[in-house]
Amino acid sequence: MLVLALITQITFAQDRSVSGTVSDNSGKPLPGVSVVVKGTQNSTQTDFDGKYSIKVSPTAVLSFSYIGTEKQEIKANSTTINVKLKDASQNLQEVVVIGYGVQKKKDLTSAQSSVKGKDIEGLVTPSFESQLAGRASGVQVTSSTGILGEAPKVRIRGTASISSGTNPLYVVDGMPMYSGDIGGYANTNALGDINPNDIESFEILKDGAATAIYGSRAANGVILITTKKGKKGAMKVAYNVVTGFASATKTHDLLKTEDFLVIANEKRTNRAQTPWAAGNEFDIDWQKAVLNQSAFQMDHNLSFSGGSDKTRYFMSMGYTTQEGVAKANEMQRITLRTSLEHDINNWLTVGGSVAITRTQYDGLNTGRNSLSGNIFNAIRQLPNNPIYDATNPTGYNINLATGNVGQGTNLQPVGDNISNIVYVLDNNKYKSKINRMLVNTFATAKITKDLSYKFQASADNPITSGFLYWNPIHGDGRGSLGRLQNDNTELLRWNIQNILSYNKTFLEKHNVSATAVAEFQKEKNERFFGNGTNLLDTFYNQNLVTGAYGIQESGGSVTEVGIVSYIGRLAYNYDERYFLGASIRRDGLSKLDPSQRWNNFTGYSAAWNIANEGFMKGISNTVNDFKVRASYSEVGNTEIGSYPYLGLTSASKYGDNNGIAFTQFGNNILQWETSKKTDFGVDLALFNNKLKIGFDYFKNDIDGLVLSEPTAPSLGIPSNRITKNVGSLYNKGYEFSADYTIVNTGDLRINVGANLTLQTNEVTSLPNGGADLIGGSSTDVNISPNIIIREGESVNSLYGFEYWGVNPANGNPVYYKADGTLVQGLPVTGTYKVFDPNNGADVSVAGTLAATDKKVLGGTLPTYFGGFNSKITYKNIDFGFLVRFSGGNKLFNSTRRDLVTQNLNNNGTEILGRWQSVENPGDGWTPRLYAGTNTFLNQSSNATTRFVENGDFISLDNVTLGYSLPKSLLAKANLSNVRFFVQGQNLVIITKYKGLNPEMETFGVDLNGTPRAKVISMGINVNL
């Protein structure tokens, strides 16, 4: 015992106190840096002045780590050790996530963009992907509506299909997750179930070298999402709260009562009919009645993270509530996520994460051409017609006999048989409730120093319950005497991966990396619904209740899809100068016939880092990285339906008897669509990595497009069409990116970034001898008549008549024929006459305007887009903004056409420019008014250049101003950081487009969408 005590005393005597200051690359002290004695539990953190003190032995090694900096290890051979941590973002040694692994950023041979999770933290958003817009080259994100739950459209390097899926593959911590709408009656976005504050980073895989590893699912690009994990060090607590208000960025300019009375009655008097409208007691803004002026937004997030030498943990809780700009539209989300990793010994690590989410959406009818569609209806309501009527049993202005909105003091009923939209929004219900669990478990074994094995098992299980109620008194439910409907959608996808990784350096300069993967995935998707009509009473408006309805119906579906994959990847570089990479993936997909379901997908890449050559050493401080690279791959698109190779039947009535009907003709030689991706790029870093420049040329050739080819009716094939691999198209373009740290001193840091994408799309072959596909990719009858897919043009180009203007002699609309001659339309007779600009009054020569006179009116896909951002920090103040731009595309503003209706509905102010007489010809673009002639006068079934506009815009998407409390003040409360901030989103858009927003389009057609939201918010970030 005496000897043991003596040894212990000597050991303690050898320990000594080591102290110092830790600062960042600019010399600014860093608080909260983890200081750990390597191999022990002994640790501390720097204080608010970056100072630390710890007792260690002279032979110990101190490890310094801090988020966003490069880890440093230093021997404790001095009593004073000052450390300057390098910014990891400025260091090419940074490790980035790639498919089924990680890689040093400097070793990448692919086109891959990174977005940090902190870039979108604090933004008010229903889902993270909408905030990726403008942050990465080649990535276009657009939102066609302001409805919460509606998923934005994400395109990576263009549109890669006509009839199959065009969304990228989303992979969260290695698990391919569900995306898109996942059931219910209110719009649902599967990606909205992920708390944006839980995301550490996004890696956007764009070219062949990056995406080939995902084979048959990578034609549309891949987005890898890495969630936050615990890090070694003392527990860190973070609390963030954001509160704000949203309103419509813009609403339509509609007529006030005074102008409405003139226009409405002029439509009739021009037709020699009695007036329509009367009464000026009211001047109602019906848009205001269906839109929120200050929709409440709130977001709370609380997280705990930390760890020891062996165990690391992270836990977060989040609560989000958002009111939509559209009344009756709301979202609530509660999230709980935990992550735990533990080193069992020096060769085995186990861990996993569980994310539980409950998301609820309240929705509404947003039909583009629906009588109770919120915007369709609101812009048609008469401004002199009140919303409420105290004498009506309902309290609303409703004609109970016809089921339409009451006409008030007007002389005729309101046009288009519309309902009172306020009553509909107050009474009808559209709901979706999602309970979702995302589970991920893994075990990693280090077999040797160079060889490791990882087993990962994951599951994604969203369960959505939906409820719909249509009030029987008025609106959508009147015809069926009310409607109740419930549904349940359960999706389950499990994924198992076995990953073998090998990394070895031979003879100091030969670096080899190899990966082998066996992956198995299966999903089962089930849906059941029940509904009842002819309701007993309006009391039954909460759920489907037995006996509450007279007519009942039920139904459901189930699909199963499996995919088995075997993957290999090999990467080699010599002395970090010459790089070669190759991958192969063999996929077997159950969606295809057994004879066709297996295919190989390969990828190849090469790069040369010129900066690491000996002849560049003299300027190595100026040119830090200069890499040229090239890649090629073949990848696929599996979103081609569940069972396209099978001949299918469906339940069908035969008289009063149950039966089955032949509904799908199977094609057992059908294959998935393939995309051949070629990329040439340059990465350049200058001036000690202060300036980084990227350039890429890309071309994606898509072949084997899955399209329907017509068949002879005599064959008896359902719909007289069979699905085949019969089309092709390509996307090609250029990408530019730059990031520049202009100033980085102790108090001031200024950083700017920009990206630009130039791209074109062209259809190169179509079935049936290259015949046009009128209707394009749309099945919406309100969209499809306006678009076309034609060889030599971009996908879903606008298609219709070319408009000349108004005949100044009589106010008739004038159009170009295919041969360049002109015809004018006579609304009185509904016929066409030849138009001579030199003799406009002559209407004696008969003319025609036929489908053969239609032409392509412009491409709907932007030919350029990008973003510009800046972050400025001065002492405790930070300021940042994001500006986004896009253009080169044409849009058919179908809403404008609706706003010049010739029925008894309200109009937009554009109609004030109508032709009235030879002396008062108006704006030369708006014809003479003539009641009841929408189909003819406004070509309501066809697109015309009268309403085609440029889609160019510049948008100020985000502006943030923040202030962090001084460290000296925080020390008294034992806080690490407290930051207050205010921010604005979607504040300003500069465009000549006359609609609400040029991004509010579907296949290039803008029709009665809900305005997007402008958000002003403020928040607090607190870190302990």
Side-chain angles (χ1 to χ4, degrees):
M1 292 294 291
L2 181 61
V3 173
L4 181 61
L6 182 60
I7 292 173
T8 303
Q9 187 175 11
I10 293 172
T11 301
F12 276 107
Q14 289 176 338
D15 286 350
R16 59 183 178 176
S17 180
V18 175
S19 59
T21 302
V22 182
S23 59
D24 62 15
N25 203 40
S26 64
K28 186 177 181 180
L30 285 175
V33 176
S34 177
V35 184
V36 180
V37 181
K38 188 175 181 181
T40 74
Q41 300 289 327
N42 188 13
S43 66
T44 188
Q45 282 190 337
T46 58
D47 63 16
F48 301 102
D49 297 317
K51 296 179 180 180
Y52 73 94
S53 179
I54 189 170
K55 285 191 174 184
V56 297
S57 71
T59 59
V61 174
L62 292 177
S63 175
F64 298 84
S65 60
Y66 187 73
I67 296 174
T69 65
E70 183 182 358
K71 181 179 178 180
Q72 285 196 40
E73 292 184 350
I74 301 174
K75 284 187 177 181
N77 53 12
S78 173
T79 57
T80 301
I81 299 177
N82 296 321
V83 180
K84 182 177 287 189
L85 295 180
K86 295 181 180 179
D87 189 347
S89 65
Q90 301 296 323
N91 195 325
L92 293 176
Q93 299 293 333
E94 181 184 357
V95 173
V96 295
V97 177
I98 60 174
Y100 304 97
V102 295
Q103 190 174 23
K104 291 181 180 178
K105 191 171 184 178
K106 67 177 182 179
D107 292 344
L108 287 177
T109 58
S110 60
Q112 179 170 328
S113 295
S114 300
V115 178
K116 299 300 182 184
K118 64 182 181 181
D119 293 340
I120 67 170
E121 278 186 2
L123 295 176
V124 177
T125 178
S127 61
F128 67 81
E129 76 274 32
S130 61
Q131 298 305 323
L132 296 178
R135 300 184 187 276
S137 61
V139 182
Q140 187 184 22
V141 184
T142 59
S143 298
S144 62
T145 177
I147 294 295
L148 299 175
E150 184 83 16
K153 180 174 63 179
V154 180
R155 299 291 179 264
I156 299 176
R157 291 186 167 179
T159 299
S161 185
I162 291 176
S163 63
S164 301
T166 54
N167 293 316
L169 174 67
Y170 294 90
V171 180
V172 180
D173 294 331
M175 168 67 183
M177 69 174 293
Y178 284 103
S179 59
D181 195 293
I182 53 175
Y185 294 109
N187 290 316
T188 57
N189 177 10
L191 300 180
D193 296 332
I194 297 180
N195 186 347
N197 288 275
D198 286 342
I199 297 174
E200 183 73 27
S201 67
F202 304 90
E203 296 295 334
I204 303 169
L205 313 185
K206 298 183 288 188
D207 74 336
T211 61
I213 198 73
Y214 286 99
S216 63
R217 295 177 287 179
N220 300 307
V222 182
I223 297 180
L224 305 180
I225 301 167
T226 302
T227 59
K228 293 177 180 178
K229 308 291 191 301
K231 295 180 176 64
K232 182 179 176 181
M235 185 176 72
K236 295 182 178 180
V237 181
Y239 172 68
N240 305 307
V241 59
V242 182
T243 301
F245 296 92
S247 59
T249 54
K250 183 182 177 181
T251 57
H252 297 289
D253 292 327
L254 303 181
L255 298 181
K256 301 288 188 180
T257 293
E258 182 180 357
D259 287 327
F260 160 72
L261 293 172
V262 173
I263 293 296
N265 292 327
E266 187 177 320
K267 295 174 187 177
R268 293 277 284 182
T269 55
N270 284 349
R271 194 164 182 162
Q273 294 177 334
T274 57
W276 259 338
N280 58 5
E281 180 183 354
F282 299 99
D283 195 356
I284 305 298
D285 184 347
W286 283 83
Q287 286 184 104
K288 187 175 181 180
V290 302
L291 298 174
N292 284 312
Q293 310 307 305
S294 55
F296 183 65
Q297 321 282 306
M298 185 170 63
D299 188 59
H300 293 271
N301 286 279
L302 177 65
S303 67
F304 307 85
S305 64
S308 64
D309 281 342
K310 289 184 174 293
T311 305
R312 296 157 299 280
Y313 62 88
F314 177 88
M315 184 179 75
S316 71
M317 295 173 283
Y319 172 72
T320 300
T321 180
Q322 294 183 17
E323 292 181 345
V325 293
K327 289 186 177 178
N329 184 212
E330 295 183 17
M331 168 191 172
Q332 286 190 335
R333 178 179 61 214
I334 301 172
T335 61
L336 174 64
R337 183 177 172 275
T338 62
S339 173
L340 182 66
E341 297 180 4
H342 179 68
D343 299 331
I344 294 178
N345 50 44
N346 60 1
W347 62 269
L348 180 62
T349 300
V350 298
S353 63
V354 178
I356 300 173
T357 307
R358 183 183 179 95
T359 309
Q360 297 185 77
Y361 294 97
D362 287 337
L364 64 158
N365 185 342
T366 58
R368 296 183 179 92
N369 204 33
S370 171
L371 297 183
S372 294
N374 63 331
I375 300 302
F376 173 95
N377 186 297
I379 63 176
R380 285 167 168 75
Q381 295 285 355
L382 310 186
N384 69 336
N385 204 21
I387 298 172
Y388 303 102
D389 180 358
T391 65
N392 192 288
T394 66
Y396 293 81
N397 180 17
I398 294 173
N399 186 326
L400 295 174
T402 64
N404 302 329
V405 65
Q407 68 187 60
T409 56
N410 292 293
L411 307 176
Q412 294 287 335
V414 181
D416 291 348
N417 298 315
I418 56 177
S419 56
N420 185 319
I421 187 61
V422 176
Y423 180 94
V424 172
L425 293 177
D426 287 346
N427 288 274
N428 286 359
K429 298 179 181 181
Y430 295 75
K431 293 180 178 292
S432 298
K433 179 172 63 181
I434 308 165
N435 293 308
R436 187 171 191 172
M437 181 177 291
L438 191 63
V439 180
N440 186 312
T441 61
F442 73 90
T444 301
K446 186 175 289 188
I447 301 171
T448 69
K449 181 179 68 174
D450 309 310
L451 182 66
S452 65
Y453 165 75
K454 180 179 181 180
F455 171 82
Q456 177 171 298
S458 309
D460 185 10
N461 183 208
I463 302 173
T464 306
S465 59
F467 172 67
L468 178 145
Y469 167 73
W470 285 352
N471 181 275
I473 296 173
H474 184 65
D476 299 299
R478 183 176 182 273
S480 59
L481 301 179
R483 185 179 188 89
L484 284 171
Q485 191 157 327
N486 284 84
D487 78 345
N488 187 79
T489 303
E490 180 170 0
L491 313 178
L492 174 62
R493 174 183 293 171
W494 58 259
N495 179 281
I496 293 176
Q497 299 172 12
N498 297 276
I499 306 172
L500 202 60
S501 301
Y502 177 76
N503 293 278
K504 180 72 172 179
T505 299
F506 297 94
L507 303 176
E508 298 184 350
K509 294 186 178 181
H510 299 271
N511 304 294
V512 177
S513 174
T515 303
V517 182
E519 182 178 15
F520 310 92
Q521 179 175 301
K522 189 172 183 179
E523 64 183 60
K524 185 175 183 179
N525 307 317
E526 302 172 276
R527 180 176 183 262
F528 174 81
F529 74 89
N531 68 55
T533 56
N534 189 9
L535 301 188
L536 180 65
D537 193 271
T538 56
F539 172 79
Y540 298 100
N541 65 358
Q542 300 296 321
N543 198 77
L544 197 63
V545 177
T546 303
Y549 42 84
I551 303 172
Q552 62 185 15
E553 181 184 1
S554 63
S557 63
V558 58
T559 60
E560 290 185 294
V561 178
I563 184 169
V564 176
S565 307
Y566 302 100
I567 306 159
R569 177 174 58 205
L570 181 65
Y572 166 80
N573 77 73
Y574 173 73
D575 198 23
E576 298 184 340
R577 286 185 285 167
Y578 314 114
F579 300 80
L580 294 173
S583 67
I584 182 170
R585 179 173 179 133
R586 183 167 176 77
D587 279 338
L589 180 68
S590 68
K591 292 182 177 182
L592 299 174
D593 185 81
S595 64
Q596 303 293 329
R597 62 182 47 162
W598 287 95
N599 203 355
N600 298 327
F601 300 90
T602 56
Y604 312 92
S605 62
W608 176 27
N609 196 336
I610 302 171
N612 289 341
E613 294 289 354
F615 58 80
M616 297 290 288
K617 287 184 178 179
I619 56 173
S620 61
N621 289 332
T622 301
V623 182
N624 312 111
D625 188 45
F626 183 15
K627 185 191 296 180
V628 293
R629 49 184 167 76
S631 69
Y632 173 81
S633 76
E634 294 184 11
V635 294
N637 188 345
T638 61
E639 298 305 310
I640 56 176
S642 296
Y643 309 106
Y645 71 96
L646 292 175
L648 300 178
T649 59
S650 298
S652 177
K653 282 278 190 181
Y654 184 76
D656 293 330
N657 300 315
N658 292 326
I660 58 174
F662 187 27
T663 53
Q664 176 177 295
F665 184 86
N667 181 355
N668 62 359
I669 61 172
L670 189 73
Q671 297 180 338
W672 36 47
E673 300 177 349
T674 58
S675 176
K676 300 175 181 178
K677 296 177 180 284
T678 304
D679 185 277
F680 299 96
V682 177
D683 299 317
L684 188 63
L686 305 172
F687 316 124
N688 291 321
N689 297 309
K690 288 184 177 180
L691 175 62
K692 296 178 182 178
I693 300 172
F695 165 78
D696 281 272
Y697 164 80
F698 66 88
K699 185 176 184 183
N700 299 341
D701 287 296
I702 299 98
D703 198 9
L705 292 174
V706 176
L707 298 170
S708 294
E709 189 170 69
T711 60
S714 59
L715 295 177
I717 292 175
S719 303
N720 298 317
R721 306 189 77 84
I722 183 171
T723 301
K724 293 183 176 180
N725 298 104
V726 287
S728 62
L729 59 86
Y730 71 77
N731 296 289
K732 67 177 181 180
Y734 304 90
E735 294 176 1
F736 306 86
S737 63
D739 185 90
Y740 184 35
T741 301
I742 301 173
V743 177
N744 189 10
T745 65
D747 289 333
L748 179 64
R749 178 183 172 89
I750 303 176
N751 178 266
V752 295
N755 64 82
L756 168 66
T757 301
L758 310 173
Q759 67 179 27
T760 57
N761 169 281
E762 184 177 321
V763 177
T764 52
S765 70
L766 291 171
N768 197 27
D772 293 341
L773 298 180
I774 297 174
S777 301
S778 179
T779 57
D780 187 332
V781 295
N782 302 299
I783 302 296
S784 56
N786 308 304
I787 56 178
I788 189 173
I789 295 175
R790 172 177 288 178
E791 290 184 359
E793 302 288 348
S794 64
V795 172
N796 296 317
S797 293
L798 296 178
Y799 182 66
F801 297 117
E802 184 177 359
Y803 186 62
W804 181 86
V806 173
N807 181 351
N810 53 27
N812 292 335
V814 179
Y815 302 91
Y816 286 95
K817 288 181 62 64
D819 61 5
T821 59
L822 298 170
V823 293
Q824 58 181 310
L826 278 62
V828 177
T829 59
T831 58
Y832 291 92
K833 302 293 182 179
V834 172
F835 172 66
D836 180 359
N838 298 316
N839 187 14
D842 182 6
V843 292
S844 61
V845 181
T848 61
L849 188 67
T852 53
D853 294 313
K854 289 186 176 182
K855 60 187 292 187
V856 172
L857 307 180
T860 60
L861 303 178
T863 58
Y864 70 87
F865 57 87
F868 175 79
N869 64 84
S870 180
K871 180 69 180 292
I872 303 171
T873 303
Y874 177 69
K875 292 185 178 180
N876 295 342
I877 301 173
D878 61 87
F879 173 77
F881 65 84
L882 170 65
V883 173
R884 195 164 51 83
F885 57 87
S886 178
N889 57 316
K890 297 289 186 180
L891 300 175
F892 176 55
N893 193 340
S894 188
T895 309
R896 264 182 70 201
R897 182 176 64 187
D898 279 8
L899 288 173
V900 291
T901 177
Q902 300 300 300
N903 296 336
L904 179 54
N905 299 106
N906 201 8
N907 298 106
T909 55
E910 179 179 354
I911 205 169
L912 297 175
R914 81 282 188 197
W915 185 97
Q916 298 181 66
S917 66
V918 174
E919 296 75 25
N920 188 4
D923 57 19
W925 202 249
T926 307
R928 178 174 179 253
L929 306 183
Y930 206 80
T933 58
N934 272 335
T935 302
F936 185 83
L937 195 64
N938 294 332
Q939 292 288 343
S940 60
S941 299
N942 304 291
T944 72
T945 54
R946 178 182 170 190
F947 304 109
V948 171
E949 303 180 48
N950 293 328
D952 304 16
F953 72 88
I954 300 174
S955 171
L956 178 59
D957 274 17
N958 301 313
V959 177
T960 303
L961 177 64
Y963 175 75
S964 299
L965 294 179
K967 302 298 181 183
S968 57
L969 182 62
L970 297 177
K972 300 176 182 179
N974 199 27
L975 296 172
S976 174
N977 182 61
V978 175
R979 175 177 174 264
F980 300 89
F981 64 90
V982 294
Q983 62 187 4
Q985 297 171 233
N986 301 325
L987 294 179
V988 178
I989 185 167
I990 301 172
T991 181
K992 293 182 179 179
Y993 184 65
K994 297 177 181 179
L996 299 183
N997 188 298
E999 288 189 305
M1000 288 180 56
E1001 51 84 20
T1002 302
F1003 299 119
V1005 179
D1006 177 354
L1007 179 57
N1008 297 328
T1010 298
R1012 291 170 60 176
K1014 172 176 63 179
V1015 183
I1016 304 296
S1017 60
M1018 61 186 68
I1020 306 174
N1021 307 133
V1022 180
N1023 294 288
L1024 286 79

